[in-house]
Each structure stands twice: as C-alpha cells, then as structure tokens.
Amino acid sequence: MSDKDKDIKIHTWDGPDDPENPFNWSFRYKWVITITVCFISILTGIPAGSYGSGNDWLKQEFNVQNTPFPNLYWATTSWNMGAAFWPLIFVPLTESSGRMPGYFVAYILLVISLFPSAFAKNFATLIVTRFFGGGASSTAINIVGGSISDVWFGNEARSLPMSIFGFTSVVGISLGPFIGSSIVQIHRSHPWRWIFYIQIIYNAALIPVFWLILKETRPEVILKKRAKKIRKETNLPIYASSELDAPSKLNLLRLSFQRPTHMLIAEPVVTFFTLWISFAWGILFLFFSSVVQTYSTNYNWGTMSTGLIQLAISVGAVIGTVINPLQDWIHLRSERHNKENPGKPIPEARLYTSIPGSLLFAAGLFWYGWASQPHVHWIVPTIGVTATGIGIYSIYMAVVNYLTDAYERYAASALSAASLGRNTFGAFLPLASPQLFSNLGYGWAGTLLGFIGIALSVVPVVLVWKGPEIRRRSKFMREAMWEPSQRPG
C-alpha cells in the first residue's frame, strides 16, 4: 500500500443516529417515498395492456391481419421483450449511480416512447417504440424493491411495504385494459391514439411532482456525495468505500448479464422458480386477449365491458394483499424452529401460503375455462379470473421473498433471472391465446392451462420439503450466508 493510500480516510455515517441515513428518516417520509415509488410502479405498468383496447381501430387503420396469426399482439410481445432485457443492463447501474437517476431516466424515456406510438403512421412503429417503452417501464418497476430495502430496516418493517409493492406490480399491468377501454369509450375520433395522448399528459405532468417528493435512497450514493463535498471543501483525501471498491461500468454490465444467466442454468431453484412465476405472468398477459375473446363471443360484450372484467385480476391482487400478512406472520415466527441459523426466519416459511395460492391459481384457470359458456352467468367465469389473480399475486410474492431471503447477497441476480423468464413468457404466451381457445374450446383450453399450473405447484412443495438440503448443495446459497472475509477466493 502506498503512502497516499494510507492517508485516505473512509467516510461513513456519523454514528447509528445519522439523520441522512435512510434507515433514520422519519416514519412519515419513509411512507411518502414507499407510496410514491409504488404509484410509479402502477403508472409505468398501465401502458403494458392499455394499448390493446384500441385493437379494432388499429386493425382498420393499418390493415393489420389478425388471422391466421395474431399479428396485433406483436406490440405486446415487443413490450415484454424490452421489459425482459432492459433491466439486466440498467438496474445494476443504479447501485452505483443512484435510484433517483434510474427512476427519472426510465420514466422520461417511457413518456418519450409514447409520442411516436401516439403519432405512428404504421404498425411497425408501434412494435419498435413499445420495445423501448417496455424496457423503460420494467427498469423503473425493478428499482422500486431496491428503494424499499434502502429505507426500511429488517424483515418485519419491510413486510407491509413489500406487500404493497407486490400488489402494485400486478395491479398496474392489470389496470391497463380498463384504462384503455375507458379512453376509447370517451374519445370516438382516433380512439386508439387517445390511449397514448392521455398517458403522455398525466405521466409528463407528474414528473415535476415526483422530482419534488423523492430524494436519493441508496446509502452508498449518499455517502459518496457527502465525501465529494467534504473533499471539495477541505481538500483532504476523504472517500466513501464505494468509491474505492467500485467495479468499472463495463465489469458491472458484464456481471449483470453473466451471473443471472449462470444462475438460471446452474441453480435448480432459480430455474424452477422462474418457470413457476413465468407461467403465472404469462397468464396475466394472456387474459388481456382471452377475456376479450371469451366475453365478446359468449356475451356479445364490447370493449368497455371486457375492460371492466379485467379489473377482476386487480380484485384478486387486493385480496392477496389483505391475506399476505398471514404469510409474513408465519415467516417471522419460523425463527423459533431454525436450527441451522438460530434467530433468523427459515426461508422456506415464505412458501407456506403460496402452496394453496398456487393451487387456487390453477383452480381459477379450470373455473374460468369451463364457466365461459353463453348459458352461464358472466359473474361465474369472472370469479375464476379473480381466483387466478389471487394466485398470481401469491406466486409473485413467494418468488420475490424466497429468492431474496435464500440468496441474500446474490438476490438481485436471482431476481433478474426470474424477471427475464417471466417477461419472456409474458411476451409469447398471449400469441397462443386465439388459437388455444378457438381450437380447444374454452373449457379444454382452461383445463390445459390448469394442469400446467398444478404441475408447477410442485415447485414450492419440493422446496418446503427439501429446502435445507437444497440450500446446502447450492454454491450461491452457501456463499450468500458467509461473511465476505470468510468467502473463499
């Protein structure tokens, strides 16, 4: 070590009560930040499904043929492909550059992407611009969990904020068809363009509001800014540890691609959890097209009515959010039975309520499929959609919480792998919807999807049964439990 290096002083918090440490911010402001970033999660999720309400007008204006292949759904596919890959590139950068630049760059890019969509002269423009919109949206949503972890300390304090975040992640996307159908109902002249116009107006208007409310939550970035300010004022070699140990941007990007991909292939837990959440997420997007198809055919309903039915998924997410504290209660009290790591909750306790939730998800698909008949009252299949919504929320929260607890230091990479898989399924599963329900019939299509759901319900059962043994065999899980000084290599 050189003399210069020896002279360097590490800047850290001024004691445990430092008011600039996000953990020490006021309870009220923590909730202001939490609600604001969760609201951003809703706003950035709405465009995913809202555009589909203008499909009838898009088909006429751009002469898009939807048979024999559902070409209109390519704009949904491009959105989800952007959502799958963009976070792998940009979310890791927020670890060093800060959450706030990540939010505002992503949010502004989303608004910018809505302009060419609104004024598109051909359908190809929509496909391209929605790839960028989906990427920006998913990047913003993926930062929200990090912001919540920055300001709430400990599982117990973080429980309710994370539950609300899970709710907004599902409800933001499921609100899209309702918002879109409401807009086309009001604006009869170029209704599909107004879907984008309205979103541009309210999203752009909220940017200065968010700017006034939010401030940086990433502790390393706050310390880095303080150290730079002190260096400038005193001309002393005072640095934050993140400035000295920071990897290059190129290495950070390489790792953000390499580790999630490796975990997706080499870690069975990540592989099967990704399949589990991916199928559930694909069903969420499949409902955008199948609900319109079934309710317009069986009940002769229009765009507005089918948009209202999509709210059943949101109702399911609300019910799931109300039930979720039971899961948190079980998890926190599991520490009494943790012989491996006394004093810490058992990761598998995150999955106890997800097993009935996953079975309810599959049951909802059976229910929806067989109840979608003209002689059956519309409320019956709608209850099936609601049950599926509860299941989607349950699965989403189980995957996010379990991967976070089990992989600890590698949680971001595990969650990136799961995000890549679920958005890819969300991209391509809806393409199968028209042929699936037309060729098999509503009942047998629901049966096929329900059986796949039942098969994937085995995933949490195996983890609950063999969880400790699986964790002992996992290289990443073992290393995540060690202190950095104890880690080999």
Side-chain angles (χ1 to χ4, degrees), residues 170 272-287 290 312-313 316-317 320 323 353-370 381-399 422 425 429 445-460:
V170 175
F272 286 103
F273 262 50
T274 299
L275 285 174
W276 191 34
I277 183 62
S278 296
F279 180 68
W281 213 249
I283 293 296
L284 175 60
F285 280 90
L286 180 139
F287 272 151
S290 70
I313 302 172
I323 296 171
T353 58
S354 73
I355 294 172
S358 188
L359 292 172
L360 184 63
F361 168 72
L365 293 172
F366 284 109
W367 191 335
Y368 168 68
W370 287 107
T382 305
I383 295 172
V385 175
T386 303
T388 304
I390 298 171
I392 291 172
Y393 174 86
S394 174
I395 293 168
Y396 180 82
M397 290 304 297
V399 169
R422 66 185 168 88
F425 261 70
L429 193 56
T447 299
L448 174 63
L449 297 173
F451 275 126
I452 296 173
I454 289 175
L456 290 171
S457 297
V458 173
V459 174

Side-chain angles (χ1 to χ4, degrees), residues 155 331-335 338 341 343-347 349 405:
N155 285 329
H331 173 252
L332 290 170
R333 275 143 190 80
S334 68
E335 64 184 22
N338 193 344
N341 204 348
K344 291 190 71 175
I346 300 170
D405 287 355

Side-chain angles (χ1 to χ4, degrees), residues 61-73:
E61 184 164 341
F62 295 142
N63 193 29
V64 179
Q65 301 300 319
N66 223 26
T67 52
F69 197 79
N71 293 305
L72 278 171
Y73 300 136

Side-chain angles (χ1 to χ4, degrees), residues 67-349:
T67 52
F69 197 79
N71 293 305
L72 278 171
Y73 300 136
W74 277 111
T76 298
T77 297
S78 67
W79 174 278
N80 280 299
M81 290 311 296
F85 290 105
W86 273 49
L88 287 177
I89 302 172
F90 295 107
V91 171
L93 297 179
T94 68
E95 303 293 321
S96 57
S97 62
R99 311 291 191 199
M100 293 308 111
Y103 280 123
F104 285 103
V105 170
Y107 198 82
I108 291 169
L109 284 175
L110 173 62
V111 174
I112 291 172
S113 76
L114 295 172
F115 277 93
S117 295
F119 297 101
K121 299 298 182 183
N122 53 63
F123 190 63
T125 302
L126 275 175
I127 294 175
V128 173
T129 57
R130 280 180 61 80
F131 174 80
F132 292 98
S137 164
S138 185
T139 299
I141 293 171
N142 274 275
I143 299 172
V144 173
S147 293
I148 291 173
S149 297
D150 291 341
V151 300
W152 297 100
F153 180 73
N155 285 329
E156 195 161 1
R158 204 176 292 147
S159 172
L160 181 58
M162 284 302 292
S163 181
I164 294 172
F165 168 52
F167 165 73
T168 59
S169 298
V170 175
V171 84
I173 294 171
S174 61
L175 273 176
F178 170 70
I179 299 293
S181 61
S182 300
I183 293 171
V184 300
Q185 193 73 16
I186 296 169
H187 297 279
R188 293 296 183 177
S189 177
H190 299 293
W192 73 267
R193 294 189 187 275
W194 274 100
I195 294 174
F196 296 103
Y197 295 158
I198 297 295
Q199 290 178 92
I200 289 170
I201 292 167
Y202 69 68
N203 280 305
L206 285 168
I207 291 174
V209 177
F210 295 145
W211 181 265
L212 292 172
I213 292 175
L214 297 174
K215 64 180 181 180
E216 184 55 57
T217 63
R218 180 73 177 164
E220 289 85 348
V221 175
I222 296 172
L223 288 171
K224 192 192 306 183
K225 288 180 179 177
R226 290 199 340 187
K228 286 181 179 178
K229 183 180 179 182
I230 294 171
R231 282 202 305 274
K232 187 177 180 180
E233 293 173 349
T234 65
N235 203 29
L236 293 173
I238 297 175
Y239 293 84
S241 59
S242 59
E243 292 181 276
L244 303 177
D245 303 329
S248 68
K249 293 289 191 290
L250 187 62
N251 283 336
L252 196 62
L253 289 174
R254 179 183 59 80
L255 196 61
S256 70
F257 272 105
Q258 187 179 36
R259 189 181 287 159
T261 306
H262 177 69
M263 293 179 77
L264 195 57
I265 297 170
E267 287 285 299
V269 170
V270 176
T271 303
F272 286 103
F273 262 50
T274 299
L275 285 174
W276 191 34
I277 183 62
S278 296
F279 180 68
W281 213 249
I283 293 296
L284 175 60
F285 280 90
L286 180 139
F287 272 151
F288 292 168
S289 53
S290 70
V291 164
V292 174
Q293 184 181 3
T294 54
Y295 283 78
S296 60
T297 302
N298 293 331
Y299 308 111
N300 199 29
W301 283 12
T303 303
M304 184 64 192
S305 300
T306 55
L308 281 168
I309 294 299
Q310 302 278 7
L311 290 178
I313 302 172
S314 300
V315 172
V318 170
I319 295 171
T321 306
V322 171
I323 296 171
N324 196 61
L326 172 63
Q327 184 273 134
D328 291 327
W329 182 84
I330 294 171
H331 173 252
L332 290 170
R333 275 143 190 80
S334 68
E335 64 184 22
R336 302 172 184 175
H337 310 287
N338 193 344
K339 297 178 181 178
E340 279 188 317
N341 204 348
K344 291 190 71 175
I346 300 170
E348 286 73 34

